[in-house]
Amino acid sequence: MAQQPRIIGSVPDWTAEERPLLSGTPASVQHGKAKRLAYLLIGIFISVTAMLNNGLVTANLPLFQGEYGLTPSQAAWLPAMYVIANVSSNLLIFKARQQFGVRLFTELGLLAFIGVLILHLFVKTYEMALVVRFIAGFATAPLFSLGMYYTMQAFSKDDVVKAIYLSFGLQQLGIPLAWIISPALTVGNSWDTLYTFELGIAICTLALVVALKLPRGFRQELFEKQDFITAILLISGFACLSITLTQGPIVWWLDAPWLAYLIIAGFGFVMLGLLLEHYRVNPLIITRWLGTRQILLFMIGAFILRLILSEQTVAMVNFLKTMGMGPDQFVPLYQVIFVGTAIGAVFSALTFTLKRVVPYLLLAVLMIVFACMWDYSLTHDIRPSNFYLSQFLIGFATGSFIPILLLLALGQGLLKGPQYIITIVVLFSVTQNFGGLVGSSLFNTYQKQRTQYYVSDLNHNLPVTDPTVAQRLKTYQYGSASTDPDAQRQQDKALRNLNGVVAREAQVRAYSDVIILNAMFALFIFIWGVFGVVILMLKAKKKAKQQQATAIE
């Protein structure tokens, strides 16, 4: 039988309304208007910047690749290390926060992050950059909940759900903000400025957290030796799977046999960790709950919803890069995405009620379907301005439904009991992180396959004996005649130009196929959601008739 965890230290004499629901969380103390405003501003700052450091690396990956002289495979390790640490850290963060307190845990994490950032400014190596990304993943993981706790202090207890919604909605602003400010930070192609800026954000966050501390909570002794064994197994499994999904489309799946061993090892470690948890008295993850129908449906829905959002980066960003767009040209587009995400988060936070959960989710998915419909007919002369409407809708959907998913997850855990919260937090983190990784890996793989298909198809239908093709080649030859008098070199250059046009058009068609595939996923989720709502309505109607018949009898 599970034992009641021992409380560490003395417990303040809280009222019933002030007492924290869980150990490690701050008390719900009533503050004056000025202090509530200060908590709100700090909460917004932490929420917006929580994802900023990872966004800065993702937005400037070519810069880091050039600075360190990396291959695409090596460069992909930089964001991968962040994801590995971030998804893994949630296994222990929740208990660490409950045992040591949210303030101490966050301050130590920020100090460690600041330390490695300063060290990296002096030790400018690729290996050190990987260490920085890994520490960043661990250090920023508690910031997501920290921003929520600060925001909650600014709201009354009746509006605490809206505070949670607003905080997690604003967290989605980190990625578009990174794309907006990156060109100004990287003038002269200096990566030092990025790290200096990231260091400044970390120092500001630490200063704010120390200057205005959260109200005290109570702590409990929760850690067991088996927790660390489970964590090592699951972290190893998550790491193997993350590496596979990141490297697969780059080194190509069938050309790298070691990917198969990583997949086997990844699933093996995860299954072994879950098996160990299944037979524990005080499990870190309650495996029996994971197999219930309700949680399985939540896992599938949350995973696919995150997957369809990853198309924004793969299709939109990569397509525009292929068409020759640079970082400066992305700024207006990401400003639109930033505004859409902010409006979605604020609007939904102000209007959110439990009765609107399903309609809001369906509306968000429908927005993604419409966005894909507007975007799928790509051409080589498409520019960022052509994506404003569709990406505004996707930004609005992102700011709306990710907080809904989190609230659903927390609600499911709280209904079962505080010991289920760790399970649901880990579950939410895994579905969101791996949903993004799987989506990126899937769409990149699909895009490359479709590109090869279209290159082959176009070359097959463009024989040099065709009059139109011959005329195009002559045009290319005439264009180079003024700079190169050699006829053979003119012809070779003309063929290269034609092959370049073929490759470009093949990529345009391939990216259109990626958007269509994403639209199919989104449409499936929408139909599935509508079908589920109809089933629930029919069951409710049938139950009401039965109750009415029983009352008459």
Side-chain angles (χ1 to χ4, degrees), residues 90-104:
N90 287 290
L91 289 166
L92 297 176
I93 276 181
F94 196 82
K95 274 196 172 183
R97 193 166 61 226
Q98 289 182 297
Q99 184 158 331
F100 302 108
V102 63
R103 296 189 306 197
L104 177 64

Side-chain angles (χ1 to χ4, degrees), residues 48 80 84 154 255 309 447 452 510:
V48 173
I84 290 170
D255 294 338
L309 278 181
Q447 186 270 332
Q452 292 301 315

Side-chain angles (χ1 to χ4, degrees), residues 420-466:
Y420 286 78
I421 294 295
I422 297 180
T423 303
I424 206 68
V425 167
V426 172
L427 184 63
F428 181 79
S429 174
V430 168
T431 57
Q432 295 307 288
N433 279 285
F434 277 97
L437 282 176
V438 171
S440 178
S441 182
L442 170 66
F443 291 133
N444 274 313
T445 300
Y446 185 67
Q447 186 270 332
K448 289 184 177 181
Q449 282 188 321
R450 297 304 293 171
T451 298
Q452 292 301 315
Y453 168 78
Y454 284 124
V455 166
S456 176
D457 182 64
L458 289 171
N459 283 328
H460 177 73
N461 292 290
L462 289 176
V464 293
T465 55
D466 185 278

Side-chain angles (χ1 to χ4, degrees), residues 24-53:
T25 60
S28 302
V29 180
Q30 293 296 319
H31 306 288
K33 289 184 178 180
K35 202 168 186 178
R36 287 171 59 186
L37 178 61
Y39 274 117
L40 178 62
L41 294 176
I42 294 175
I44 291 174
F45 178 84
I46 296 174
S47 297
V48 173
T49 58
M51 295 179 67
L52 183 60
N53 52 12

Side-chain angles (χ1 to χ4, degrees), residues 234-256:
L234 292 180
I235 289 172
S236 300
F238 293 154
C240 290
L241 295 176
S242 299
I243 293 168
T244 302
L245 292 169
T246 303
Q247 295 294 322
I250 299 173
V251 300
W252 198 244
W253 305 95
L254 301 180
D255 294 338

Side-chain angles (χ1 to χ4, degrees), residues 128-376:
M128 191 63 196
L130 292 177
V131 174
V132 171
R133 288 300 101 211
F134 190 80
I135 299 297
F138 271 113
T140 57
L143 295 183
F144 295 102
S145 55
L146 188 69
M148 177 187 70
Y149 291 141
Y150 270 92
T151 307
M152 288 168 62
Q153 294 298 318
F155 288 77
S156 64
K157 198 163 187 177
D158 294 336
D159 294 326
V160 69
V161 173
K162 293 182 178 180
I164 297 173
Y165 201 113
L166 179 64
S167 175
F168 278 87
L170 294 178
Q171 286 176 13
Q172 311 312 311
L173 297 175
I175 300 297
L177 181 61
W179 283 88
I180 292 170
I181 65 177
S182 287
L185 293 174
T186 56
V187 176
N189 293 325
S190 176
W191 65 270
D192 300 64
T193 311
L194 285 174
Y195 277 111
T196 305
F197 180 79
E198 193 174 5
L199 175 62
I201 291 294
I203 292 174
C204 287
T205 302
L206 179 62
L208 291 171
V209 170
V210 172
L212 183 60
K213 294 183 179 293
L214 288 168
R216 181 186 169 189
F218 68 94
R219 297 181 293 128
Q220 290 179 299
E221 194 175 80
L222 294 171
F223 272 120
E224 300 177 2
K225 292 181 180 178
Q226 294 93 328
D227 291 337
F228 297 98
I229 299 174
T230 299
I232 291 171
L233 290 171
L234 292 180
I235 289 172
S236 300
F238 293 154
C240 290
L241 295 176
S242 299
I243 293 168
T244 302
L245 292 169
T246 303
Q247 295 294 322
I250 299 173
V251 300
W252 198 244
W253 305 95
L254 301 180
D255 294 338
W258 56 271
L259 290 175
Y261 296 108
L262 273 183
I263 293 174
I264 294 170
F267 280 110
F269 281 130
V270 171
M271 294 306 297
L272 191 59
L274 293 178
L275 182 65
L276 177 65
E277 288 296 285
H278 192 72
Y279 292 101
R280 283 182 59 186
V281 176
N282 298 308
L284 189 68
I285 297 175
I286 304 174
T287 55
R288 289 173 176 82
W289 191 41
L290 295 180
T292 61
R293 178 178 177 274
Q294 195 172 20
I295 294 303
L296 285 174
L297 288 175
F298 170 79
M299 285 168 42
I300 295 171
F303 177 84
I304 298 180
L305 282 170
R306 187 64 187 87
L307 183 148
I308 60 180
L309 278 181
S310 63
E311 177 267 344
Q312 183 181 64
T313 302
V314 176
M316 186 264 292
V317 174
N318 289 350
F319 168 76
L320 290 174
K321 285 182 178 179
T322 303
M323 295 299 107
M325 302 296 106
D328 292 340
Q329 292 163 295
F330 282 105
V331 172
L333 176 58
Y334 272 99
Q335 288 173 342
V336 171
I337 295 173
F338 184 92
V339 172
T341 306
I343 292 176
V346 174
F347 170 79
S348 299
L350 293 176
T351 61
F352 174 80
T353 62
L354 291 177
K355 292 182 180 179
R356 295 173 180 169
V357 167
V358 176
Y360 275 21
L361 280 173
L362 292 177
L363 178 62
V365 176
L366 193 60
M367 285 182 174
I368 297 175
V369 174
F370 283 130
C372 291
M373 289 173 58
W374 273 307
D375 285 346
Y376 85 95

